[in-house]
Structures are given as structure tokens and as C-alpha cells.
């Protein structure tokens, strides 16, 4: 891919050569199939289309300086996809099938892995959905599992630079006992109101508060929230947020760097007290936040006053990326080299 502008790649879809597919029929998974088509042929009464029986994952393959391809904590994504499947009564994808599918898809599309040093990576999107026909509201009997990949640059156009976030209170992404803790499509449909409202007002993403009291911070669009003060890394604990693998990794790194780590309810009243705040996830890695705007009260919280990400966020971001790209030893045993 000589003519690819890797450094200016957005977070978007780029056609690659192959994807892999597998069907669950008669209570068992079949063989993995390789396809070069971007299309799928499914029944018009498939449960994914009517009742949202769908879950997905998002992870990245990184190219090292040594030319080796690295996966980051893929087992965590495999497990989360199983929790998502359980949550909406779909067939689970066994861990070995999940691994075989992602490794195969990455290796078949090797030429699309962004070179080391460009900051870009190959985004892996595993997808599981009810493909069997039903008209009553009940789980399908047949499922389809697909993995495709696409090379991506930064999720926020700012890259590792401060983004602006807007607090949206007139819509909820997930309910306390709903499906916010798993990665199912319905959550993202429900988030589009907030996303669109925030973007229209000139902000990068919405911040969602807890659905019950609108007092505690849940998530930032498709990323977890964190705040830093007094040498402590603080991130919300809530039943309606997605347990982020990036956040879990950052907590381990922060602890290793000598910070205290707290996972607890975080009230918006605390926003004034943080030295640094940010959003984290596979797509964004870390997006430092420069401004949080409360769309209802008009109040603005400002960070990164010199226009630059804070020192703690920067140190954590660098360390995580160095591990992911293989520039520093894999002390936590998070990396698997696949080629
Ligand atoms: N929160 C939501 C709602 C997400 O969609 C994601 C992305 O998967 C995250 C947080 C970050 O999770 P992870 O770090 O596992 O990508
Ligand atoms: C993430 O990787 O953090 C995401 O949420 C990806 C998004 C495109 C769903």
C-alpha cells in the first residue's frame, strides 16, 4: 500500500481485501469462511434487523518497529463479546473461534496494517448477530459471526490534543439495569441523539450522566471517562457503562507509575476539582479533554489551559502506546505477536 496517506488517515471505513464469516446453525458453529465481498445476504426477518439482536467488538492490531504484528489483550474482547451474547440471548462465539477469526482476518489483510511510526493501526471489528428469521420477540435460532478490518487514524480529528465535550441531559444512552454494560448495537442507536446534539453545538462527543439522578458521570460517547487529581486516577463505577479494556489497562499502568486508582461514582460537582480529565477507549486511546460544557446550565469547565494535554495523561498515553506498538517491554503480558 505504497500510496496510502497513513499519517492523515481518519477513523473511517476503508475497503480491505478479505473478511471472515462463520454461521451458527443447528446449535453449532460451522467452519470459518473467507470472503472478499463487503455484502452479506440475510433473511428479511432476521432478529438483528427487527429486535436489535446484535453485538460487536473493537480492537486493534499494531505494527511494531520490528515488523511484527501485535494484538492487544484480545482475550478481553473475546470475553466481552461472550458477555454481550449472554446479555441478549445470542449464541456465544467460543474463544478459540474468536481468535482464529481475528488472526486470519488480520493476516489476510497484512498490507493494510499501517506502518510503525504513523500512529495509525488496523482496527478489527468482530460482529455477531441473529440471522435467523423470527416474527415474535424471541431469540433467533441462527447467528452469524463476521470479522472485518479497516486501517484507522485517530478517532477524534484532534488526535492526542484536547477535545471539547458537551453534557447532554435530555436523553439517556443506557438505563441502570439495561444493556449499557455490554457492547450491543441498541446502546449506540440510543446514543445518537446525544452525539448529534453535541456535534451540532460544535463539541466532539456528549457526556452522559447516570439515568436516574443525572448527577454522576457515566461515559463520554463511546469512551470511558477519567479525572486526575492529587496523584489519583479516578474513573466512574456504574452499572450502565461499558467496561473499557483501555481503561482497565490504564488503571494498571497508573498504579504501576505510582498513582492511586479509584473506581467509584463520580459526581459532576467534582468536575471543578480535577487537574486533568480525559476519555479513553480503543478508538481514541486517550483523548484529553480541554472543555466540558453543560448544555443546560451554560457552565463551562476548562482544562489544558495552555492548549496542551496534561502531564499525567501524556505520560499514561505514551506508556500505553509504547506497549501496544512494542516499543517497550510487555511487562503486563498484554501483547500477542501473530506474524
Ligand atoms: N465505552 C463505550 C460505550 C464504547 O463503545 C467503548 C468502545 O469499545 C469504550 C467505552 C471503550 O472500550 P475499550 O477500551 O474496550 O475499547
Ligand atoms: C472505541 O473503540 O472506543 C469505540 O467505542 C469505537 C466506536 C467506533 C464504537
Amino acid at each position: 500500500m505504497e500510496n496510502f496517506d497513513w499519517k492523515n488517515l481518519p477513523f473511517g471505513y476503508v475497503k480491505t481485501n478479505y473478511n471472515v464469516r462463520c454461521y451458527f446453525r443447528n446449535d453449532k458453529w460451522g467452519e470459518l469462511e473467507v470472503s472478499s465481498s463487503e455484502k452479506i445476504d440475510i433473511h428479511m426477518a432476521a432478529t438483528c434487523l427487527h429486535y436489535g439482536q446484535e453485538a460487536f467488538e473493537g480492537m486493534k492490531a499494531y505494527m511494531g518497529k520490528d515488523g511484527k504484528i501485535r494484538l492487544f489483550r484480545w482475550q478481553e474482547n473475546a470475553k466481552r463479546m461472550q458477555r454481550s451474547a449472554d446479555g441478549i440471548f445470542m449464541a456465544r462465539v467460543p474463544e478459540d473461534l474468536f481468535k482464529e477469526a481475528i488472526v486470519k482476518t488480520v493476516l489476510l489483510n497484512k498490507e493494510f496494517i499501517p506502518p510503525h511510526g504513523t500512529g495509525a493501526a488496523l482496527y478489527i471489528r468482530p460482529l455477531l448477530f441473529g440471522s435467523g428469521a423470527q416474527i415474535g420477540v424471541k431469540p433467533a435460532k441462527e447467528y452469524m459471526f463476521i470479522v472485518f478490518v479497516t486501517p484507522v487514524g485517530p478517532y477524534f480529528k484532534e488526535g492526542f490534543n484536547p477535545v471539547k465535550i458537551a453534557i447532554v441531559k435530555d436523553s439517556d444512552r443506557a438505563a441502570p439495569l439495561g444493556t449499557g454494560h455490554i457492547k450491543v448495537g441498541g446502546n449506540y442507536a440510543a446514543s445518537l441523539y446525544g452525539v448529534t446534539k453535541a456535534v451540532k453545538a460544535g463539541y466532539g462527543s456528549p457526556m452522559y450522566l447516570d439515568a436516574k439522578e443525572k448527577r454522576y458521570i457515566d461515559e463520554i460517547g463511546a469512551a470511558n471517562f477519567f479525572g486526575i487529581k492529587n496523584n489519583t486516577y479516578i474513573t466512574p463505577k456504574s452499572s450502565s457503562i461499558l467496561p473499557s479494556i483501555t481503561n482497565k489497562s490504564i488503571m494498571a499502568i497508573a498504579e504501576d507509575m505510582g498513582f492511586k486508582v479509584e473506581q467509584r461514582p463520580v459526581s459532576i460537582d467534582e468536575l471543578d476539582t480535577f487537574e486533568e480529565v480525559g476519555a479513553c477507549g480503543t478508538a481514541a486511546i486517550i483523548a484529553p479533554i480541554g472543555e466540558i460544557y453543560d448544555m443546560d446550565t451554560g457552565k463551562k469547565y476548562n482544562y489544558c489551559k495552555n492548549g496542551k494535554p496534561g502531564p499525567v495523561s501524556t505520560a499514561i498515553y505514551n506508556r500505553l502506546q509504547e506497549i501496544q506498538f512494542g516499543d517497550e517491554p510487555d511487562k503486563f503480558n498484554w501483547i500477542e505477536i501473530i506474524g
Side-chain angles (χ1 to χ4, degrees):
M1 305 302 292
E2 312 257 303
N3 300 323
F4 233 77
D5 188 6
W6 298 112
K7 284 207 160 120
N8 294 309
L9 209 55
F11 189 91
Y13 178 79
V14 172
K15 184 181 187 306
T16 58
N17 291 338
Y18 301 102
N19 55 80
V20 305
R21 296 144 184 237
C22 196
Y23 299 88
F24 183 88
R25 292 181 184 132
N26 303 318
D27 295 326
K28 57 177 188 298
W29 286 102
E31 293 293 310
L32 269 189
E33 295 171 13
V34 174
S35 172
S36 56
S37 170
E38 291 170 284
K39 306 283 170 59
I40 50 175
D41 188 14
I42 53 170
H43 198 289
M44 63 187 172
T47 58
C48 63
L49 298 177
H50 300 254
Y51 307 130
Q53 231 193 351
E54 185 275 343
F56 66 98
E57 270 303 324
M59 52 205 296
K60 284 174 175 168
Y62 300 88
M63 179 60 79
K65 218 184 271 170
D66 52 9
K68 292 192 173 139
I69 306 162
R70 289 167 166 78
L71 291 181
F72 182 73
R73 306 192 79 173
W74 66 267
Q75 300 88 339
E76 296 287 332
N77 295 89
K79 281 190 214 128
R80 192 167 64 190
M81 187 168 239
Q82 293 191 341
R83 293 199 301 271
S84 297
D86 291 351
I88 57 169
F89 294 86
M90 300 196 289
R92 279 181 162 207
V93 176
E95 204 167 295
D96 53 352
L97 175 62
F98 185 91
K99 184 181 183 190
E100 189 189 344
I102 55 173
V103 170
K104 196 166 207 162
T105 317
V106 171
L107 296 181
L108 283 168
N109 294 290
K110 234 178 184 167
E111 67 200 89
F112 292 94
I113 307 176
H116 186 270
T118 58
L122 189 71
Y123 185 70
I124 308 168
R125 173 56 64 86
L127 195 62
L128 172 68
F129 55 86
S131 52
Q134 280 310 351
I135 279 298
V137 180
K138 55 187 163 206
K141 291 198 174 72
E142 294 184 359
Y143 293 87
M144 191 169 177
F145 173 50
I146 302 182
V147 179
F148 69 84
V149 293
T150 190
V152 293
Y155 190 64
F156 290 104
K157 64 178 186 329
E158 289 86 351
F160 186 65
N161 279 306
V163 297
K164 288 163 59 176
I165 300 299
I167 304 175
V168 175
K169 294 184 196 157
D170 60 344
S171 165
D172 295 316
R173 168 193 170 273
L177 297 177
T179 55
H181 62 296
I182 52 178
K183 204 163 164 67
V184 298
N187 298 338
Y188 297 82
S191 79
L192 292 177
Y193 175 88
V195 169
T196 308
K197 185 169 175 178
V199 169
K200 255 194 194 154
Y203 288 76
S205 262
M207 172 185 274
Y208 290 103
L209 304 182
D210 79 282
K212 216 165 164 182
E213 291 184 66
K214 293 280 182 293
R215 178 164 167 223
Y216 297 99
I217 298 169
D218 256 0
E219 290 197 272
I220 307 260
N224 279 182
F225 170 85
F226 67 83
I228 289 158
K229 62 178 172 188
N230 309 326
N231 286 317
T232 309
Y233 177 91
I234 300 158
T235 192
K237 187 184 175 87
S238 155
S239 63
S240 49
I241 67 181
L242 189 75
S244 154
I245 298 157
T246 311
N247 198 6
K248 187 174 174 180
S249 310
I250 291 175
M251 286 189 256
I253 289 175
E255 219 152 57
D256 190 61
M257 289 168 76
F259 292 95
K260 242 180 85 186
V261 171
E262 291 176 7
Q263 204 172 4
R264 57 164 171 81
V266 182
S267 158
I268 41 168
D269 300 334
E270 221 178 317
L271 280 176
D272 270 325
T273 67
F274 289 119
E275 294 150 19
E276 296 178 32
V277 290
C280 63
T282 297
I285 310 293
I286 286 181
I289 297 172
E291 179 186 319
I292 298 175
Y293 171 52
D294 187 327
M295 296 183 95
D296 288 83
T297 64
K299 184 170 165 69
K300 285 186 176 169
Y301 304 86
N302 289 101
Y303 311 90
C304 309
K305 294 200 176 121
N306 61 359
K308 294 209 174 70
V312 179
S313 306
T314 306
I316 294 174
Y317 171 81
N318 287 338
R319 182 106 192 267
L320 178 60
Q321 286 268 273
E322 279 158 15
I323 294 173
Q324 290 170 328
F325 282 103
D327 295 325
E328 97 154 60
D330 178 25
K331 169 173 177 178
F332 301 97
N333 213 4
W334 287 338
I335 301 297
E336 181 153 343
I337 292 178
I338 58 162

